[in-house]
Amino acid sequence: MQNPNEDTEWNDALRRHGIIPEKPKEAEISEDQIVDMLEKTIKQKCTEGKPIEDMSLDELEAMEDEEDEAIIQRYRHQRLAEFKALQKTAKFGDVREISAQDYVAEVNQAGEGVWVVLHLYKTGVPLCTLVNQYLVQLAQKFPSTKFLKSVSTVCIPNYPDKNLPTLFIYYEGDMKKQFVGPFAFGGMNLKKDVLEWMLAEANAVVTDLEEDPRKKNAIHDVMTSSLRGRAHDSDSDDDC
């Protein structure tokens, strides 16, 4: 006997004439049922996963890549959250010129939790000019730290030029550190990352530098000196 539920031209003709009943409609699948099916499929896939000891090297590497990517994504989100939080607390971002009259309000009354970097300088002193250039860049990098500058004799009458440049580091109005004179900065060989490290050691900024840049510079100087020495010895041998 032919199945009346089959999709055939004969059955279709019989249905049109009411000889056999219409084919029963398939029940519609609800959205909740679809979700349940997906969850069961996911759960089944998880239980079918291989134990780690049975995985091939390629499978292990693929799993590690996925884990590494997840860690990187979490780190990016964390850094983004930290950056947004820093932007909310950022009040400064530049180097402001002050006079003696501004000193109390700008330094001693800078506010709770505020680090202040004050540069005493004079025009015409090359190292002061260099420090000012670096401070502009560092102020942009660390906008939650207050960077100030003042002509030395305007801020402190009769301040000796031999003490220039001078950096005073304050926290909540109290002086925490001072760098006085060219030797404290290493002279005109001063680099921006070295100045950043000096401020970080004084806790005025939170740096992303991992070590004192002067260590790398010292190694580079030793290597350069050694190479120059060898070149000189080679020239001497050629002269002979």
Side-chain angles (χ1 to χ4, degrees):
M1 182 177 179
Q2 188 173 350
N3 185 356
N5 291 326
E6 284 182 348
D7 288 325
T8 64
E9 292 182 2
W10 174 248
N11 283 343
D12 289 340
L14 293 176
R15 291 190 189 99
R16 283 196 299 270
H17 291 85
I19 298 172
I20 62 175
E22 292 291 332
K23 184 180 178 182
K25 293 183 179 180
E26 294 181 1
E28 293 184 358
I29 301 176
S30 68
E31 204 170 310
D32 290 339
Q33 288 174 312
I34 294 173
V35 172
D36 288 340
M37 291 168 63
L38 287 171
E39 289 180 348
K40 288 178 181 177
T41 302
I42 294 170
K43 191 176 294 184
Q44 182 179 358
K45 291 291 184 183
C46 291
T47 57
E48 290 173 355
K50 288 183 181 179
I52 291 179
E53 58 269 19
D54 294 338
M55 288 185 179
S56 67
L57 183 59
D58 290 340
E59 290 172 328
L60 285 171
E61 289 179 350
M63 185 176 69
E64 288 177 357
D65 290 342
E66 291 176 0
E67 291 177 350
D68 290 344
E69 183 64 25
I71 292 172
I72 290 170
Q73 287 299 327
R74 285 200 299 271
Y75 176 74
R76 286 173 180 166
H77 287 306
Q78 179 182 344
R79 292 293 294 171
L80 182 60
E82 291 174 354
F83 176 75
K84 288 181 178 179
L86 180 61
Q87 289 299 99
K88 290 180 180 179
T89 62
K91 303 176 182 178
F92 311 109
D94 58 1
V95 181
R96 304 178 187 178
E97 183 89 28
I98 66 169
S99 64
Q101 289 76 18
D102 304 320
Y103 188 89
V104 173
E106 295 289 345
V107 177
N108 295 113
Q109 299 174 358
E112 183 178 354
V114 176
W115 283 91
V116 178
V117 177
L118 172 62
H119 178 211
L120 299 186
Y121 75 100
K122 255 192 179 180
T123 55
V125 179
L127 187 53
C128 288
T129 302
L130 184 65
V131 170
N132 272 332
Q133 291 174 356
Y134 291 158
L135 290 180
V136 169
Q137 299 173 54
L138 294 174
Q140 294 172 353
K141 184 175 181 179
F142 304 105
S144 58
T145 298
K146 190 175 189 178
F147 287 85
L148 305 170
K149 65 178 180 178
S150 179
V151 174
S152 56
T153 51
V154 169
C155 190
I156 304 175
N158 302 318
Y159 193 77
D161 290 352
K162 67 177 182 179
N163 290 346
L164 301 179
T166 293
L167 283 185
F168 292 140
I169 313 295
Y170 294 85
Y171 180 68
E172 296 184 346
D174 295 327
M175 185 182 292
K176 299 297 182 181
K177 183 75 176 179
Q178 53 183 306
F179 301 98
V180 180
F183 291 108
F185 297 87
M188 289 300 293
N189 291 323
L190 177 69
K191 306 296 182 185
K192 180 174 71 69
D193 56 355
V194 172
L195 183 57
E196 178 178 334
W197 186 264
M198 292 167 62
L199 296 180
E201 284 190 317
N203 295 318
V205 300
V206 179
T207 182
D208 53 2
L209 298 174
E210 296 181 356
E211 63 176 359
D212 189 339
R214 286 170 289 196
K215 294 181 180 178
K216 294 181 180 179
N217 295 340
I219 294 172
H220 179 267
D221 292 343
V222 170
M223 292 177 65
T224 302
S225 177
S226 177
L227 290 172
R228 287 175 179 170
R230 291 178 184 177
H232 178 73
D233 292 342
S234 176
D235 291 342
S236 299
D237 292 342
D238 291 341
D239 292 340
C240 294

